[in-house]
Amino acid sequence: MSTRSRSGGGGGFVGAIRADVQRLHGAWMEIVFPRQRGRGHSVMGKWKPETLPQKIGYHGWSVLGVIGLLVLYPLTVIGLATRYYAAKLDSTRTRLGIVGVTGIALLGWGLLTIAWGAMSYMDQVEIPLEAVLAVAAASGVATVSTALAATFSKVGGRAVTVVLAYPFAMTALFLPPVVAALVTPSLHPYILDPSYDFAVWALDNVLFVGGLSDYLRGNFTLEGPAYAAMWVGISFPLGWFLGTVVALANLVRPSQ
């Protein structure tokens, strides 16, 4: 077997990256200049600039494309990885259906809640009632979020999947432990305290633009349900980001 890939680059991971970059840069160049991707113009050949203004415009446009690829291609790699794992989950959702996925989430969290409740009544195991309530609350949040993510992924198109399915999937991941910690003081050092530290870091280093951090500090206090609201607020932008990079990956490698 040849060590060269069919796309003309080296084999394996490096070859795949080289082929992607060449294809994307050629597509970028072809927005303004004709016959830049080469493969579809084997008879006429690749167009090349001849005059000085053409050369200046050609190379300037090429540099802009390279800068854009330096930003976008790492996002494409993240999108490819996210799409791989999302496809695994979507395959399970397709086989089980929305009701099946919701039922499994309800069963799993329900059994955990029942187990903790049963253990709380055993003399040899001391589990406070608040811990059982925490697991029950977390199970409800996880089940509803899972059902919403599966529903929007099933019934919606690409836009609905990006706007709603991915954010609710992130909510199903982030919110249950926060809800559990809100009703279980013993969990505060492990969940709420790191959440507070993260909020401080985000306000100081990310949300300072336009005075947003000052507004949030002046109008909101991070305590109680505000922790849940914060993680919902994180879940949606993160879900939109992951959905967008998956859409970008689909444009780069639509056949995979």
Side-chain angles (χ1 to χ4, degrees), residues 84-96 150 153-154:
Y84 173 80
Y85 291 106
K88 297 293 185 182
L89 295 175
D90 189 63
S91 176
T92 301
R93 192 266 305 159
T94 300
R95 291 195 302 268
L96 298 176
S153 178
K154 173 68 175 179

Side-chain angles (χ1 to χ4, degrees), residues 190-222:
Y190 307 103
I191 298 175
L192 298 189
D193 289 351
S195 296
Y196 183 88
D197 294 338
F198 175 77
V200 171
W201 177 86
L203 289 171
D204 291 339
N205 298 279
V206 179
L207 301 177
F208 63 89
V209 178
L212 181 58
S213 61
D214 294 334
Y215 172 80
L216 292 174
R217 282 192 167 103
N219 292 274
F220 300 97
T221 301
L222 188 58

Side-chain angles (χ1 to χ4, degrees), residues 5-229:
S5 70
R6 294 182 181 180
S7 58
F13 182 71
V14 174
I17 292 178
R18 182 182 293 112
D20 286 342
V21 170
Q22 290 175 344
R23 182 170 62 253
L24 290 172
H25 191 263
W28 167 260
M29 295 300 295
E30 210 163 46
I31 293 175
V32 176
F33 303 97
R35 305 195 313 273
Q36 291 300 299
R37 281 177 283 191
R39 186 171 298 178
H41 310 286
S42 57
V43 176
M44 300 181 65
K46 181 178 179 180
W47 182 88
K48 296 181 180 180
E50 297 179 356
T51 66
L52 180 61
Q54 286 179 342
K55 292 180 179 179
I56 294 175
Y58 184 88
H59 293 295
W61 188 251
S62 177
V63 169
L64 288 177
V66 170
I67 294 174
L69 283 173
L70 290 175
V71 176
L72 291 179
Y73 192 75
L75 298 180
T76 302
V77 174
I78 296 174
L80 290 170
T82 303
R83 186 178 66 179
Y84 173 80
Y85 291 106
K88 297 293 185 182
L89 295 175
D90 189 63
S91 176
T92 301
R93 192 266 305 159
T94 300
R95 291 195 302 268
L96 298 176
I98 296 173
V99 175
V101 171
T102 305
I104 288 179
L106 181 61
L107 178 63
W109 282 98
L111 289 175
L112 181 60
T113 304
I114 294 172
W116 275 61
M119 291 171 64
S120 67
Y121 287 100
M122 297 173 62
D123 294 337
Q124 64 270 33
V125 180
E126 294 184 1
I127 298 180
L129 178 61
E130 64 180 12
V132 180
L133 296 176
V135 174
S139 68
V141 171
T143 301
V144 172
S145 298
T146 300
L148 289 173
T151 300
F152 288 124
S153 178
K154 173 68 175 179
V155 304
R158 178 175 297 179
V160 175
T161 299
V162 171
V163 174
L164 294 174
Y166 276 94
F168 277 113
M170 294 297 99
T171 302
L173 178 65
F174 291 143
L175 202 52
V178 176
V179 173
L182 288 175
V183 294
T184 309
S186 60
L187 294 178
H188 289 189
Y190 307 103
I191 298 175
L192 298 189
D193 289 351
S195 296
Y196 183 88
D197 294 338
F198 175 77
V200 171
W201 177 86
L203 289 171
D204 291 339
N205 298 279
V206 179
L207 301 177
F208 63 89
V209 178
L212 181 58
S213 61
D214 294 334
Y215 172 80
L216 292 174
R217 282 192 167 103
N219 292 274
F220 300 97
T221 301
L222 188 58
E223 59 183 17
Y227 281 101

